[in-house]
Amino acid sequence: MNVFTMLQGRMSARVNLDFSQIVPSIPFILEGVIVTLKIVIFAVLLGFALGVVLALMKIGRIKVLAWFADAYTSVFRGTPLVLQLVLIYFGIPQLTGVDIGPFPSAVIAFGLNSAAYVSEIIRAGILAIDKGQREAALALGIPYKLMMRDIILPQALKNILPALMNEFITLTKESAVVTVIGAMDVMRRAYIVGGQVYRYIEPLLIAGLIYYVLVMLLTLLGKALEGRLRKSD
């Protein structure tokens, strides 16, 4: 046997994949999709609502609120998401004595983190609207709250929809870090299956495929929403 044959044999052994032991566990891994989607949906709602408030603070005239919003964004954008998640999961029980499970910890951490990015997206969208519309609304005596709700924000949302969808897609992928606090999401279940059959590559590849499908579905949803908004113009 020559050296080339030996190397070829070793390479084939290294890349040998066997999904036969993993196939029975695929339904178990797929159950984690529900957990992942629940975390992402609630985090998106929290992040969007808080992001709107922070964006309005940043463009408002009250300097204290603007400073707070900028500081909030700086902290959550400047520290790792996994650190924020762990601090919330372990910190809240230590500081308050109230136990908090993996699911609410993930929703809070992802929602607070997403709000920092969403606030910047919305702020940029609002500032991109022609100032003449604000001046015209104020000249007509329209209150500031009604102007922002009925005139400025709807136009801004049309312009920033692609950026918002990109943030939500990123959040879906980043949700895999909940495995560090024991949430039974797709990634955690893939790890469990790998430990049971002593093969980790195959279940992780399946988890990767699941996340890819979710991201593609979100991408198609974003394009469909963009198309509807364009037709409504």
Side-chain angles (χ1 to χ4, degrees), residues 5 10 12 32 36 39 44 48 51 53 68 72 87 89 105 114 123-124 131 153 163 167 172 197 204 226:
T5 304
R10 291 182 179 179
S12 63
T36 297
I39 292 174
V44 163
F48 181 78
V53 174
F68 170 80
Y72 177 98
L87 283 177
Y89 181 68
S105 297
S114 181
R123 181 186 67 85
K131 293 182 180 180
L153 280 177
E167 167 60 21
T172 302
V197 300
L204 290 177
E226 287 182 48

Side-chain angles (χ1 to χ4, degrees), residues 134-154:
R134 298 187 192 181
E135 296 173 355
L138 293 175
L140 293 172
I142 299 177
Y144 180 80
K145 291 183 179 180
L146 293 179
M147 176 189 68
M148 293 301 298
R149 187 189 68 185
D150 298 332
I151 301 175
I152 304 300
L153 280 177

Side-chain angles (χ1 to χ4, degrees), residues 93-111:
Q94 180 176 338
L95 296 175
T96 66
V98 178
D99 290 332
I100 181 170
F103 179 80
S105 297
V107 171
I108 294 172
F110 294 155

Side-chain angles (χ1 to χ4, degrees), residues 15-220:
V15 298
N16 181 33
L17 297 176
D18 182 12
F19 287 89
S20 60
Q21 300 180 54
I22 311 300
V23 170
S25 301
I26 290 180
F28 173 75
I29 298 176
L30 286 173
E31 289 177 4
V33 174
I34 299 176
V35 177
T36 297
L37 290 179
K38 285 183 178 179
I39 292 174
V40 171
I41 290 172
F42 283 104
V44 163
L45 295 176
L46 174 61
F48 181 78
L50 185 56
V52 172
V53 174
L54 291 171
L56 295 177
M57 287 182 179
K58 291 176 181 180
I59 64 175
R61 298 179 179 179
I62 303 177
K63 293 184 177 180
V64 175
L65 295 180
W67 178 86
F68 170 80
D70 288 336
Y72 177 98
T73 301
S74 177
V75 170
F76 279 91
R77 291 175 65 182
T79 54
L81 175 57
V82 65
L83 174 63
Q84 299 163 18
L85 176 64
V86 172
L87 283 177
I88 290 175
Y89 181 68
F90 292 106
I92 291 179
Q94 180 176 338
L95 296 175
T96 66
V98 178
D99 290 332
I100 181 170
F103 179 80
S105 297
V107 171
I108 294 172
F110 294 155
L112 295 179
N113 180 273
S114 181
Y117 294 91
V118 171
S119 67
E120 283 295 290
I121 295 173
I122 295 177
R123 181 186 67 85
I126 292 175
L127 294 179
I129 303 299
D130 185 10
K131 293 182 180 180
Q133 298 194 38
R134 298 187 192 181
E135 296 173 355
L138 293 175
L140 293 172
I142 299 177
Y144 180 80
K145 291 183 179 180
L146 293 179
M147 176 189 68
M148 293 301 298
R149 187 189 68 185
D150 298 332
I151 301 175
I152 304 300
L153 280 177
Q155 296 183 68
L157 289 176
K158 289 183 179 180
N159 297 330
I160 64 178
L161 181 59
L164 285 176
M165 289 304 302
N166 184 64
E167 167 60 21
F168 298 155
I169 288 172
T170 300
L171 182 62
T172 302
K173 293 185 293 183
E174 290 182 344
S175 68
V177 301
V178 297
T179 186
V180 302
I181 60 173
M184 294 295 288
D185 69 326
V186 174
M187 188 65 71
R188 183 70 178 180
R189 290 169 182 267
Y191 282 142
I192 292 175
V193 172
Q196 292 174 343
V197 300
Y198 301 103
R199 300 183 70 92
Y200 286 92
I201 295 179
E202 292 88 344
L204 290 177
L205 287 176
I206 292 174
L209 178 61
I210 293 172
Y211 281 109
Y212 180 78
V213 171
L214 290 177
V215 168
M216 289 300 101
L217 291 176
L218 285 175
T219 302
L220 294 175

